Amino acid sequence: MPVFNYDEAYSKPGLYWGREPNPLCLETIALYSAVDREGKRVVDLGCGEGRDVIQFAREGYEAVGIDISARGLKKAEAWAKEENIVISTIQSDLVSLRLGEEFDVVYSSGTLTYLPQDVRRAVFSNYKRFTRQGGLNAFNVFVEKPFLETPPDWGIDEHFYISGELLTYYWDWEIVRFEERILDCNSGGVPHKHAMDVMIARRV
Ligand SMILES: C[S@@+](CC[C@H](N)C(=O)[O-])C[C@H]1O[C@@H](n2cnc3c(N)ncnc32)[C@H](O)[C@@H]1O
């Protein structure tokens, strides 16, 4: 199994993931009214080329995007500039990164499978600690199902979650939403399916 080269994918013209924000981003934004969102801080972990971190910024958030790919972050910054929107970006590896400042929303889509199992307890405990009272953690993660084949473009640096695993890290928070879905995907040009857990949890 190879490692997917995001820098290479993001070096090509256009936007690899397109311009539309992820549904989880829109859903997370909708949980606060426009007035409540103003000045709130969000961090998008694994923001790629910025489709979600930019949407958060458009909606009034002070938005920070973190990714391991410098190429992705550069594209996100250029896109934000084009729209006259301010975002901050940080190049970092989520495996070793620990948050050191507080956010109202800690958000990640399509990225937390890059955290190996043995660091997850410490990592999620850090995300929780640096979420303000009343704030949200919103994540989706790929989960392993014995009846689904491993996707063709799955990398050796990706690690499935167990169904419901996210909930175990957030047992002491209010679970605003949790869902497991099976999705059709065509990444890499080969039709396949993913099982995905989606969770939004609130620090009470
Ligand atoms: C599937 S993409 C999702 C991108 C973005 N969230 C979106 O939905 O458009 C996964 C992202 O995770 C980033 N990534 C992979 N491993 C990482 C790591 N160890 N630390 C930080 N980012 C990582 C990749 O560069 C890529 O941008």
Side-chain angles (χ1 to χ4, degrees), residues 2 8 16 18 29 36 42 61 81 90 93 107 116 124 133 158 168 172 191:
E8 195 179 295
Y16 187 83
I29 287 168
D36 284 346
V42 61
Y61 278 92
K81 205 168 166 196
I90 300 170
D93 183 346
Y107 170 89
F124 287 111
Q133 199 79 27
E158 290 183 85
T168 68
D172 52 349

Side-chain angles (χ1 to χ4, degrees), residues 18-204:
R19 288 186 173 264
E20 287 305 307
N22 279 292
L24 181 60
C25 168
L26 300 176
E27 201 182 328
T28 305
I29 287 168
L31 286 173
Y32 290 114
S33 72
V35 173
D36 284 346
R37 288 197 290 271
E38 212 50 50
K40 281 205 161 47
R41 303 193 73 218
V42 61
V43 62
D44 179 358
L45 305 164
C47 66
E49 301 159 301
R51 59 179 166 160
D52 293 336
V53 70
I54 286 173
Q55 183 66 19
F56 279 115
R58 281 185 195 121
E59 296 287 348
Y61 278 92
E62 185 189 322
V64 180
I66 300 181
D67 204 282
I68 203 164
S69 166
R71 300 270 182 173
L73 295 176
K74 223 172 153 186
K75 268 189 163 166
E77 279 162 16
W79 180 2
K81 205 168 166 196
E82 223 176 85
E83 287 203 24
N84 224 357
I85 280 171
V86 179
I87 60 163
S88 320
T89 61
I90 300 170
Q91 187 192 10
S92 183
D93 183 346
L94 295 181
V95 179
S96 51
L97 173 95
R98 300 293 177 270
L99 300 179
E101 48 189 85
E102 288 192 325
F103 291 91
D104 298 283
V105 178
V106 180
Y107 170 89
S108 185
S109 179
T111 304
L112 296 180
T113 26
Y114 291 98
L115 294 174
Q117 227 288 329
D118 62 337
V119 303
R120 287 181 194 161
R121 194 155 291 285
V123 167
F124 287 111
S125 156
N126 168 257
Y127 297 165
K128 288 166 75 180
R129 186 168 157 227
F130 285 94
T131 305
R132 289 185 180 138
Q133 199 79 27
L136 303 171
N137 283 193
F139 306 132
N140 59 38
V141 294
F142 294 121
V143 295
E144 185 165 24
K145 291 285 169 187
F147 52 87
L148 293 183
E149 280 184 32
T150 302
D153 50 359
W154 194 251
I156 41 162
D157 54 347
E158 290 183 85
H159 313 275
F160 281 116
Y161 284 65
I162 291 170
S163 197
E165 182 180 339
L166 274 180
L167 293 174
T168 68
Y169 304 119
Y170 286 82
W171 66 273
D172 52 349
W173 282 28
E174 178 193 350
I175 303 302
V176 178
R177 182 162 119 65
F178 180 80
E179 188 190 2
E180 187 162 290
R181 289 189 208 140
I182 306 233
L183 312 163
D184 291 311
C185 186
N186 201 26
S187 61
V190 184
H192 57 276
K193 288 183 188 295
H194 287 285
M196 178 178 261
D197 280 8
V198 184
M199 183 200 74
I200 303 179
R202 188 192 322 265
R203 181 173 183 181
V204 182

